[in-house]
Amino acid sequence: MTFSDFFWPCFYSFWGCVGFCLLFHIRPRRWMMPVASLGGAIAWGVYLLCSPAQNDIIQYFVAALAVTAYSEGMARLFKSPATCYLIVGLIPLVPGGGIYYTMEYGIRGDTMLFLENGMHTLGIAGALAIGVLMVSGIVRIAGARPRRDAERR
């Protein structure tokens, strides 16, 4: 993989996330839009870095882990909800094409392609959900321990 094969998709992912932020007015503070959009570039960069695995569901899973860890870190750093960063960062990973083609095959009546694409799209969506749940759960458990210890004293 050359530098341009890695850089340009991440660059486009960043600007796509900026467009999403503008469309949905995600800008309570002026730093929120670029920081949240950087999460999308990081997510796509991790997805591309995992391409030697040659399994896109694993790529999506690892990218979801990375963007969720980034979102949780930015939420702590800027004292804002992690979902603000997470939703924007997950935009490049959403399997929109898979959903579209699944519906197209379903409408055309091509049952085999409908099921094949549908199961693959569900696998990607599940990988994203499990990646988000794992990191968020670990952060919540780790954050609950100091509070629990303080309450015992």
Side-chain angles (χ1 to χ4, degrees):
M1 177 182 293
T2 64
F3 176 74
S4 64
D5 291 340
F6 181 78
F7 175 76
W8 290 113
C10 294
F11 179 77
Y12 298 141
S13 175
F14 174 83
W15 286 106
C17 290
V18 167
F20 178 83
C21 289
L22 290 173
L23 183 66
F24 290 100
H25 304 289
I26 300 175
R27 51 192 163 144
R29 298 182 184 120
R30 66 178 166 209
W31 49 260
M32 178 75 117
M33 187 171 29
V35 171
S37 298
L38 183 61
I42 289 171
W44 199 251
V46 170
Y47 174 83
L48 292 175
L49 286 175
C50 293
S51 62
Q54 295 185 353
N55 185 342
D56 60 340
I57 293 179
I58 292 173
Q59 289 175 274
Y60 280 105
F61 174 71
V62 175
L65 291 175
V67 75
T68 307
Y70 173 79
S71 299
E72 292 287 346
M74 293 300 105
R76 301 300 178 271
L77 184 66
F78 293 113
K79 294 179 178 43
S80 58
T83 54
C84 297
Y85 304 100
L86 185 61
I87 290 172
V88 176
L90 285 175
I91 290 298
L93 299 176
V94 172
I99 295 169
Y100 172 82
Y101 288 114
T102 299
M103 298 299 4
E104 181 184 358
Y105 296 139
I107 290 171
R108 275 199 281 162
D110 194 344
T111 308
M112 290 306 292
L113 283 175
F114 170 76
L115 290 174
E116 183 181 328
N117 260 349
M119 293 306 291
H120 187 260
T121 303
L122 281 174
I124 291 171
L128 293 175
I130 291 171
V132 169
L133 285 173
M134 283 181 64
V135 174
S136 295
I138 290 169
V139 168
R140 299 295 182 268
I141 290 169
R145 176 171 283 168
R147 278 185 268 142
R148 212 174 331 134
D149 293 342
E151 290 173 2
R152 289 183 185 166
R153 292 181 195 158

